[in-house]
Amino acid sequence: MEFPGHFNYWIVIVMMMAGFYVVISQGNLVKKVVGLNIFQVSVFVFYISMGKVDGGTAPIIHPDWTTYTNPVPSVLILTAIVVGVATTALALALVVRIRRAFGTIEDDEIEAQEEAQS
Amino acid sequence: MISSNLPALQIVIPLLSAPICVILRDRRIVWAFAQLITLFAFGCAVALTVQVLQTGPISYEIGNWQAPWGIEYRIDLLNAFMLIIVSAIGAITMPYARVSVAKEIPQERIYLFYTMYLLSMTGLLGIAITGDAFNLFVFLEISALSSYVLISLGEDRRALTAAYRYLVMGTLGATFYIIGVGLMYMMTGTLNMADLVGRLPGVAHTTTILAALAFITCGVSLKLALFPLHLWLPNAYAFAPSVVTVFLAATATKVSVYVLLRVFFTIFGGVDLFIDSHLADILMALALVGMFTMSAVAIYQKNLKRMLAFSSVAQIGYMVLGISFVSVLGLTGTIIHLFNHALMKGALFMALGCIVFRTGSVDIKDMAGMGRRMPVTMAAFVVAGLSMIGVPLTVGFVSKWYLVLAALEQDAWWIALLVLLSSLLAVVYIWRVIEVAYFRPVPEGAPPIKEAPLSMLLPMWLLTGGAVFFGVHSTLTVDIARAAATFLLGDRQ
Amino acid sequence: MSAEAAIVGALLVPLGGMVLIALTGWRPNVREGVTLVTSLVTFLLVASIFPSVAAGARPEVALFEMLPGLALAFRVEPLGMAFAGIASFLWIITSIYSIGYMRGHHEENQTRFYAFFAMAIFSAIGVAFSANMLTLFAFYEVLSVCTYPLVTHQGTDEAKRAGRIYLGILIGTSIAFQLLAIGWTYIVAGTLDFQDGGILAGKAEGPLVGVLLALYVFGIGKAALMPFHRWLPAAMVAPTPVSALLHAVAVVKAGVFSVVKVIVYIFGYDYLAQQMSGGWLVYVAGFTIIAASIIALRQDNLKLRLAYSTISQLSYVVIAAAILAPMSVMGAALHIVAHAFGKITLFFAAGAILVASHKTQVSQLDGIGRRMPWTMAAFAIGSLSMIGLPPTVGFISKWYILQGAVQAHQMVAVAVIVVSTLLNAGYFLPIVYSAFFRPEKALAGAAQHHIKVDHGEAPFTSVFALTATAAATVALFLFPDAPLSLARLLVGG
């Protein structure tokens, strides 16, 4: 019962680790950004699923319903999504500039150029 | 009316003025405007501190939404002190910024620089002022996103990769932080720090809360560049525009240290998890290793900005070491060092900024004869450098004194000795520069250079003078730091 | 003028003098006039405190709260009075000497030289008058830092290397050991004020006393106790006036003065005598005396020979204090005075020889007594004082030390003093003998070293200065009342 009952957390952990792994292992700067996104999304899922109450509905007061899902985590995640979008946009903008300056977006090639420069 | 809304104004005014900068556009007008706003923020911080000193902690509910549901700004002595540090550095850096930025940043982007600068300051002030754990994350990201942009404005192309790497690490850190906050929310149902204090003891001994503490510590440590999570910092500081380095080195990591203090001693203040989980011991070990290795690495740097950046990582070790003692003396040392290090590192980076302004280089080999070529700048470098070493009558000594006392108080004489020995490494990396600047002759055929302009020298000497003044007469700052430390530790003493 | 005002004045005058010297640097005559007037006024101010101290008063001034509860404070007691008295008096004579020397030797950067010289005297007087260990430490460190430019005055690679050793040992020992000891004392005793009978009495027990004593005496690197003596010979690359006043009087005396202060006012010599763990100091000091004397025997460079003699003579003061008998503590105080006059005479003579003939080695001095009769006569008197023979003041101090050693049944100390007296004679008398009684000989390679064969006395100012100090060495033997009365007050009689 424990395992299926917590399956949302398992999914969160799998996504989180997958995203983290991509950030660490990928040399391509865009792929790193993708990994970062997966990592962040796992946290979004974590927050939203944590606020879900079994059988609850959206928190709109209505005589038919007595159980509501906690709206606060969803609201928080709205903010976090905005932040995530901004981060992604900035990261991609930086990648564009890096590509212009170094002619590549592969981490090891950039590092080699940096070594040569210093 | 105004005085009762000061906490909101402290944040809202710089926040709103950032987009106004975009509208104003003209670089001279934008600069004057930004200077005005930073001065206002500083005045606001001083007024708030006075208020806190007179009436005790202030609680302010944003938009009149009642805490703990709404967002609460809560100001006690500790974050009032942080507000002063951030806004003071913000305001002092502005006059310095005008010429330095004009030289280092393309003219058509200058207004964007000031926009980002104000946003970054807003974020840092927000982190300090807020009493809501999630709101803190938002401000953390505001300051972080704007500082990525600021760093990427550097002339060297390596500034771009430095900014990118900082972005990746910073985002990981911030995300770790919200995971931790989420876990706490799951167990307590609140995000308000004051509320968390009361609710955590009931669930303190669950794995979930332990995991929350671990995630938050890890995330914040990334932000504050605690050894060995510091990898983003040296290049970011080295290749950012001089003004950005000054501002970030003096404020950004300090604010992260503040977050650590807040988490360990306010949010987790009611439970002994910090000590029981051996987190204090782990942090102490990391701090000590960081102090030595990073100072040692600093000795071998050719780029002086990078050298000071490594020294910053080492200095963060001192601050974290103070935290790990969990005593009034230790925390006093940490809090006082937040302020003192902001003064002396700010002054040192400003000195390097002056040299960049005139010569365009901070390589050690280009420092030959600098003692004669830019005597006023180098004199400030020497004085601030002596403070880094911890020579008495400078602020560096005051910080070190408290750390040593904190160690000796717990009969940990060997830690006291390690603190002192590691400061000797600072002698080496500071003196290396002094020897080159004063003993090597000016290279043949080097173009004659003038001293930096007055608008750069004055802020630099203001910080340097502060480093001496608060070293000779430290009562004011130490009293605040000690009161804040006592307040943080509460019943635990 | 009240004694309190005189204390502040004696500190401010040299500091103000330094600023004036820096400002008048472009007119050498004015600059040197300022130096002379400053030194004269400083001495008069210091002297004006003497009557009240001799009458048993202890004038006090507290300036700033450097740290809460630890003020930057001054309190003149007999030993400090004596130290400040000789330092400021000899500054006048050294200034006169310097003018002849620096011009005669065509030194560069004379303004920097005079300015930092004034600052060194300022910090020496600060050390002398300090009312607590923290103030002493602060001025001790300032003294180390501001003598660095004097040691490295030549700016050559050799000077730079010497500067590294100088600063490395002095700052290294003081930060690593002395500051640790100070912090420890503060934790244990709760105060750092110098008090009659000591502040550690009854608070520290057993091995801790021995550890603290070791941290203090080795932490006070300026006392040049082996194995931390290497900086003193290294400092001999400095211009001779620096070696004369600073490395025979101000700096090194600040070291042994601090050791005596620590033993008398921090530990209390009665208390230390009861403790078992303090006895080793006699052996370390005794070893330093003998070893340094033997090394001195083998030095051909005159200034180096004098430097090793200084190391050995400094340990006389340390051993005298370490014997822990009232009589020997008096001897320690007297020896600080006695050695100052004797050694400065010897250095003046060495400098005069250098200026007049460019000779630096002992082996080149055959027959020089006939060309420079005044100089070599003064040298002879200085030598007698070093050996401890009448009619010089060195005899008096040695007499007291010996008596104290016999009283305390410290036969090791007695033996050390007797043997070292023979060694002193062994390395000084041959110089005097060959200068007067051996015929001059032609020197190989004289031209390469710019050695002048046909020369007379050194410039008048130099000869005047060394004659004056030699006369004082004899005069203090005939009229030892002033130092003796201070020494008696020190031990409470």
Side-chain angles (χ1 to χ4, degrees):
Chain A
M1 189 57 216
E2 276 267 301
F3 179 80
H6 285 161
F7 82 95
N8 54 332
Y9 297 126
W10 285 108
I11 289 176
V12 167
I13 290 170
V14 169
M15 281 175 69
M16 194 185 280
M17 288 305 124
F20 199 33
Y21 179 75
V22 172
V23 174
I24 296 170
S25 65
Q26 287 299 321
N28 184 306
L29 297 189
V30 176
K31 288 184 184 167
K32 269 184 198 285
V33 177
V34 172
L36 209 57
N37 264 310
I38 298 173
F39 183 68
Q40 285 182 306
V41 166
S42 76
V43 180
F44 303 162
V45 174
F46 167 63
Y47 263 76
I48 294 167
S49 65
M50 147 178 111
K52 174 70 183 167
V53 176
D54 274 346
T57 179
I60 302 164
I61 296 176
H62 190 275
D64 294 349
W65 296 98
T66 48
T67 328
Y68 301 111
T69 288
N70 186 349
V72 177
S74 309
V75 174
L76 296 178
I77 285 320
L78 273 179
T79 320
I81 289 172
V82 174
V83 171
V85 169
T87 311
T88 311
L90 179 59
L92 291 176
L94 280 172
V95 173
V96 172
R97 297 268 321 268
I98 289 174
R99 161 80 209 235
R100 261 186 230 153
F102 290 85
T104 173
I105 52 168
E106 288 297 326
D107 210 15
D108 40 357
E109 290 173 26
I110 293 172
E111 244 168 66
Q113 289 193 31
E114 283 185 333
E115 289 287 318
Q117 197 175 346
S118 60
Chain B
M1 167 61 192
I2 288 186
S3 75
S4 65
N5 283 321
L6 274 181
L9 293 176
Q10 175 86 72
I11 304 302
V12 172
I13 296 289
L15 185 66
L16 290 183
S17 53
I20 294 178
C21 282
V22 180
I23 299 168
L24 289 175
R25 207 77 180 204
D26 182 276
R27 68 188 157 92
R28 266 164 251 121
I29 300 173
V30 170
W31 170 77
F33 180 67
Q35 173 73 74
L36 200 72
I37 298 297
T38 50
L39 281 175
F40 168 82
F42 178 61
C44 210
V46 172
L48 279 172
T49 310
V50 172
Q51 219 171 324
V52 171
L53 283 172
Q54 282 167 352
T55 61
I58 305 170
S59 167
Y60 181 87
E61 283 155 358
I62 291 287
N64 277 333
W65 294 91
Q66 220 180 346
W69 295 282
I71 291 169
E72 182 194 15
Y73 283 0
R74 199 180 179 86
I75 304 151
D76 56 31
L77 211 48
L78 175 63
N79 46 7
F81 194 47
M82 288 313 297
L83 292 176
I84 288 198
I85 295 177
V86 173
S87 58
I89 296 289
I92 293 173
T93 314
M94 264 295 124
Y96 180 91
R98 194 174 56 87
V99 276
S100 179
V101 164
K103 173 123 181 171
E104 291 182 32
I105 293 173
Q107 203 165 337
E108 69 280 3
R109 295 214 193 109
I110 286 180
Y111 72 100
L112 289 174
F113 166 84
Y114 289 109
T115 312
M116 285 300 150
Y117 185 90
L118 286 174
L119 274 182
S120 178
M121 194 177 80
T122 309
L124 295 172
L125 290 171
I127 296 172
I129 207 169
T130 188
D132 185 282
F134 195 86
N135 193 228
L136 195 149
F137 160 75
V138 175
F139 281 120
L140 202 65
E141 284 295 38
I142 292 180
S143 77
L145 283 168
S146 46
S147 53
Y148 307 147
V149 177
L150 286 172
I151 290 168
S152 72
L153 288 172
E155 285 173 310
D156 194 303
R157 61 178 180 167
R158 280 171 288 180
L160 295 171
T161 45
Y164 180 86
R165 283 180 195 134
Y166 183 19
L167 183 142
V168 172
M169 299 281 250
T171 307
L172 285 179
T175 312
F176 269 41
Y177 174 80
I178 43 167
I179 295 172
V181 171
L183 290 171
M184 281 200 300
Y185 181 72
M186 211 157 83
M187 298 305 285
T188 60
T190 181
L191 292 167
N192 183 294
M193 291 180 190
D195 208 25
L196 275 168
V197 181
R199 297 198 190 196
L200 271 178
V203 292
H205 295 288
T206 56
T207 325
T208 316
I209 292 301
L210 193 62
L213 182 62
F215 270 113
I216 292 179
T217 310
C218 235
V220 180
S221 300
L222 256 169
K223 283 276 174 192
L224 68 85
L226 175 65
F227 176 87
L229 303 174
H230 65 279
L231 293 170
W232 57 269
L233 186 141
N235 271 352
Y237 281 15
F239 300 117
S242 304
V243 179
V244 176
T245 311
V246 170
F247 180 68
L248 291 184
T251 57
T253 46
K254 314 288 174 299
V255 171
S256 304
V257 173
Y258 157 79
V259 176
L260 269 195
L261 284 169
R262 196 47 97 197
V263 170
F264 292 155
F265 299 106
T266 300
I267 299 182
F268 283 85
V271 294
D272 287 327
L273 209 55
F274 179 54
I275 300 169
D276 289 347
S277 62
H278 295 288
L279 193 52
D281 300 334
I282 296 169
L283 287 181
M284 180 180 284
L286 290 180
L288 287 171
V289 176
M291 279 155 47
F292 274 93
T293 51
M294 291 300 106
S295 302
V297 172
I299 294 172
Y300 294 99
Q301 296 305 314
K302 293 199 192 81
N303 180 322
L304 293 186
K305 267 175 142 184
R306 231 173 115 86
M307 174 190 94
L308 289 184
F310 276 108
S311 140
S312 276
V313 182
Q315 298 286 321
I316 286 160
Y318 289 116
M319 296 172 206
V320 174
L321 182 70
I323 294 178
S324 71
F325 287 126
V326 200
S327 66
V328 172
L329 279 175
L331 289 190
T332 308
T334 300
I335 298 168
I336 196 84
H337 199 46
L338 293 177
F339 179 75
N340 292 347
H341 186 248
L343 284 179
M344 53 200 190
K345 225 4 136 5
L348 283 173
F349 273 122
M350 279 189 179
L352 289 188
C354 290
I355 292 169
V356 171
F357 184 76
R358 285 300 186 208
T359 69
S361 163
V362 280
D363 201 285
I364 183 122
K365 67 176 191 304
D366 296 325
M367 296 291 288
M370 206 49 87
R372 283 171 200 283
R373 300 168 89 193
M374 301 178 71
V376 184
T377 304
M378 278 314 292
F381 187 93
V382 171
V383 175
L386 288 174
S387 184
M388 282 302 297
I389 296 167
V391 172
L393 305 180
T394 61
V395 287
F397 174 74
V398 178
S399 317
K400 214 147 284 172
W401 174 253
Y402 276 97
L403 287 178
V404 168
L405 284 193
L408 288 172
E409 185 192 43
Q410 301 181 349
D411 284 330
W413 59 268
W414 55 278
I415 293 180
L417 187 61
L418 287 178
V419 170
L420 295 170
L421 286 178
S422 75
S423 69
L424 291 180
L425 292 175
V427 180
V428 181
Y429 62 72
I430 294 291
W431 226 266
R432 199 172 133 248
V433 181
I434 292 177
E435 275 190 359
V436 175
Y438 286 94
F439 290 113
R440 279 216 203 131
V442 182
E444 300 267 331
I449 46 172
K450 281 190 297 190
E451 187 51 86
L454 202 60
S455 66
M456 295 176 86
L457 293 179
L458 278 182
M460 177 176 69
W461 273 100
L462 192 64
L463 290 183
T464 314
V468 174
F469 177 81
F470 289 109
V472 175
H473 187 84
S474 69
T475 326
L476 182 67
T477 46
V478 169
D479 279 347
I480 292 183
R482 180 182 278 269
T486 316
F487 177 80
L488 272 182
L489 281 174
D491 318 323
R492 264 208 247 186
Q493 301 158 43
Chain C
M1 184 191 267
S2 74
E4 283 75 17
I7 294 175
V8 179
L11 286 161
L12 286 183
V13 167
L15 205 58
M18 173 191 160
V19 176
L20 276 181
I21 290 165
L23 290 179
T24 56
W26 50 284
R27 291 184 64 184
N29 288 333
V30 180
R31 176 188 68 202
E32 276 138 43
V34 169
T35 305
L36 277 177
V37 171
T38 312
S39 59
L40 203 63
V41 174
T42 309
F43 173 68
L44 290 177
L45 284 168
V46 172
S48 75
I49 309 170
F50 178 75
S52 60
V53 174
R58 298 283 180 273
E60 286 181 58
V61 182
L63 290 185
F64 317 94
E65 288 271 291
M66 192 172 153
L67 294 161
L70 285 170
L72 198 64
F74 303 97
R75 180 169 183 272
V76 186
E77 44 71 62
L79 189 62
M81 184 66 233
F83 177 40
I86 50 170
S88 57
F89 175 68
L90 291 177
W91 187 27
I92 307 175
I93 297 178
T94 311
S95 300
I96 298 171
Y97 179 87
S98 311
I99 296 168
Y101 178 90
M102 297 300 278
R103 291 186 175 186
H105 211 229
H106 307 293
E107 293 278 359
E108 287 175 1
N109 299 320
Q110 293 196 20
T111 305
R112 185 176 80 193
F113 172 85
Y114 287 110
F116 278 107
F117 215 110
M119 188 160 177
I121 298 296
F122 154 75
S123 21
I125 292 176
V127 168
F129 285 170
S130 52
N132 56 51
M133 198 59 210
L134 193 70
T135 311
L136 192 151
F137 179 71
F139 282 99
Y140 179 99
E141 293 291 63
V142 174
L143 185 57
S144 304
V145 173
C146 72
T147 45
Y148 174 82
L150 296 171
V151 170
T152 55
H153 186 83
Q154 315 287 1
T156 56
D157 280 344
E158 190 199 354
K160 203 159 81 177
R161 226 177 357 259
R164 279 185 199 163
I165 297 174
Y166 183 78
L167 209 68
I169 293 183
L170 290 186
I171 296 267
T173 52
S174 65
I175 287 186
F177 304 141
Q178 195 185 346
L179 186 54
L180 184 61
I182 294 171
W184 212 330
T185 307
Y186 186 64
I187 288 284
V188 172
T191 175
L192 288 174
D193 291 342
F194 292 126
Q195 280 167 17
D196 292 322
I199 53 175
L200 283 172
K203 301 216 170 105
E205 292 292 335
L208 178 60
V209 177
V211 171
L212 276 179
L213 184 64
L215 286 174
Y216 272 118
V217 296
F218 289 118
I220 300 170
K222 291 197 171 97
L225 219 52
M226 283 186 181
F228 296 113
H229 66 285
R230 284 276 303 122
W231 63 271
L232 188 54
M236 290 302 137
V237 309
T240 305
V242 174
S243 307
L245 183 56
L246 299 179
H247 299 118
V249 183
V251 173
V252 291
K253 291 304 180 311
V256 287
F257 168 80
S258 307
V259 171
V260 178
K261 274 270 222 194
V262 164
I263 288 179
V264 175
Y265 294 115
I266 297 281
F267 289 96
Y269 57 89
D270 283 336
Y271 181 69
L272 205 53
Q274 296 160 18
Q275 298 287 319
M276 301 305 290
S277 52
W280 53 269
L281 187 52
V282 171
Y283 299 96
V284 173
F287 174 79
T288 306
I289 293 176
I290 303 289
S293 300
I294 292 172
I295 298 172
L297 268 178
R298 300 156 40 111
Q299 298 297 324
D300 192 35
N301 182 306
L302 182 55
K303 275 177 83 179
L304 276 184
R305 186 177 286 196
L306 293 178
Y308 278 102
S309 155
T310 304
I311 294 172
S312 140
Q313 296 280 333
L314 290 174
S315 279
Y316 269 91
V317 179
V318 177
I319 206 172
I323 288 168
L324 303 172
M327 205 64 141
S328 67
V329 172
M330 277 176 72
L334 287 173
H335 200 66
I336 288 180
V337 180
H339 176 251
F341 283 93
K343 195 44 84 41
I344 202 169
T345 309
L346 293 173
F347 270 110
F348 281 167
I353 294 169
L354 178 68
V355 169
S357 72
H358 291 212
K359 287 177 181 171
T360 53
Q361 306 301 103
V362 172
S363 52
Q364 299 166 336
L365 298 183
D366 289 358
I368 201 168
R370 263 159 285 164
R371 291 190 180 274
M372 307 179 71
W374 287 92
T375 303
M376 290 319 290
F379 190 94
I381 293 173
S383 303
L384 291 182
S385 186
M386 288 300 114
I387 301 164
L389 293 176
T392 61
V393 62
F395 169 74
I396 299 180
S397 59
K398 216 169 224 182
W399 178 253
Y400 273 94
I401 298 174
L402 260 181
Q403 279 211 314
V406 173
Q407 257 179 9
H409 303 292
Q410 287 275 11
M411 286 312 141
V412 179
V414 174
V416 164
I417 292 166
V418 171
V419 171
S420 77
T421 303
L422 292 176
L423 288 169
N424 291 346
Y427 59 79
F428 276 127
L429 291 184
I431 302 177
V432 178
Y433 172 80
S434 52
F436 283 109
F437 300 112
R438 286 235 190 108
E440 244 179 287
K441 61 182 177 193
L443 294 168
Q448 283 155 7
H449 295 93
H450 309 286
I451 292 176
K452 291 184 204 159
V453 181
D454 190 27
H455 62 87
E457 272 289 5
F460 169 73
T461 50
S462 301
V463 177
F464 168 79
L466 60 91
T467 313
T469 52
T473 310
V474 178
L476 279 172
F477 170 76
L478 300 172
F479 311 103
D481 298 336
L484 255 181
S485 67
L486 288 176
R488 272 201 201 96
L489 281 169
L490 175 67
V491 293

